[in-house]
Amino acid sequence: MLPGFGLSLGITLLFVSLVLLLPMTSLVGQLAGLSLAEYWAIITEGRVVASYMITIGAAAVAAIVNALFGLLMAWVLVRYEFPGRRLLDALMDLPFALPTAVAGITLATMYSSSGFMGRLLEPLGLEIAYTWVGIALAMAFTSIPFVVRTVQPVLEDLPGEVDEAAMTLGASDGLAFRRVILPHLWPALVTGTGLAFVRSLGEFGAVIFIAGNMPYETEITSLMIFVKLQEYDYVGASAIASVVLAVSLLLLLALNLWQGRFIRRLHGGES
């Protein structure tokens, strides 16, 4: 039902060129007039480096939290039947459908000192809004579907008889999960966690409303790029954006290479 290989490949390459390669080429073109020393000075400026640390740290925390809770959510959705299961399954895609700015405003309102959750947490000495914790929370909200939707189909394809057989042979629930189920889920879980991390690196709308945007404290890299654009420093914005782009591409490449080797090793061990 699809067109032939030549036409399909041509349409695919045209789409990739317009949507991906052309913007990336424009970004690189902005840097053409910079010397290596000038480029290095922009990307290693103190405020920018601080934004790298804040962004990477919050994204790592969000990715780890999503790995744990995303696996749990996928397990519940696949292995159990309960009223409201379809609704819960649909809610997993809400962060994709909801504008990130709306998510950021909602989270900031809820977790501020006058918000519903903030009023409960403040007497305990827990501050969420306008701290790095709020940044990680916003990143976790926007990236949780990557883990759930990556692990869920693998769980659905894994027969329930696999872990039942392990427990029949005397393995405990925890041992059966670690030795039998987790090896099959591991590539999908790592991939989903990596995608969640990469997604969090470039998050903007959901974060700026809850971050507080204090230089050296809660200022993320995406905001630094926005500030440079507001100052009409397009070269500086492109230089900082190129760092985020390079980190994201390298991580995605590493994930793909690792996943391929893991699957080949797993299949080789089974044979």
Side-chain angles (χ1 to χ4, degrees), residues 104-128:
I105 293 173
T106 303
L107 291 172
T109 302
M110 286 182 57
Y111 288 96
S112 66
S113 58
S114 59
F116 170 69
M117 293 297 297
R119 285 199 302 266
L120 299 177
L121 296 175
E122 190 174 25
L124 302 176
L126 300 176
E127 295 184 8
I128 304 297

Side-chain angles (χ1 to χ4, degrees), residues 8 19 83 95 139 219:
S8 298
V19 176
M139 289 178 174
E219 194 172 50

Side-chain angles (χ1 to χ4, degrees), residues 4 8 12 33 70 135 170 188 205 245 253:
S8 298
T12 300
I135 298 175
L245 177 63
L253 178 61

Side-chain angles (χ1 to χ4, degrees), residues 198-212:
V198 172
R199 173 69 177 84
S200 298
L201 288 180
E203 183 54 49
F204 178 71
V207 174
I208 57 171
F209 292 102
I210 197 173

Side-chain angles (χ1 to χ4, degrees), residues 39-148:
Y39 176 77
W40 183 255
I42 293 173
I43 65 173
T44 57
E45 193 266 327
R47 185 175 172 184
V48 176
V49 172
S51 74
Y52 295 154
M53 298 297 102
I54 295 167
T55 303
I56 293 174
V61 171
I64 293 172
V65 170
N66 282 344
L68 298 175
F69 287 96
L71 175 60
L72 178 62
M73 291 176 183
W75 182 272
V76 170
L77 290 172
V78 173
R79 291 301 178 94
Y80 299 102
E81 293 286 345
F82 53 91
R85 176 175 171 272
R86 292 182 181 274
L87 177 61
L88 180 61
D89 191 26
L91 287 176
M92 291 299 103
D93 294 323
L94 182 62
F96 284 155
L98 189 69
T100 56
V102 175
I105 293 173
T106 303
L107 291 172
T109 302
M110 286 182 57
Y111 288 96
S112 66
S113 58
S114 59
F116 170 69
M117 293 297 297
R119 285 199 302 266
L120 299 177
L121 296 175
E122 190 174 25
L124 302 176
L126 300 176
E127 295 184 8
I128 304 297
Y130 316 125
T131 67
W132 74 268
V133 180
I135 298 175
L137 176 65
M139 289 178 174
F141 175 83
T142 56
S143 59
I144 185 65
F146 286 99
V147 179
V148 177

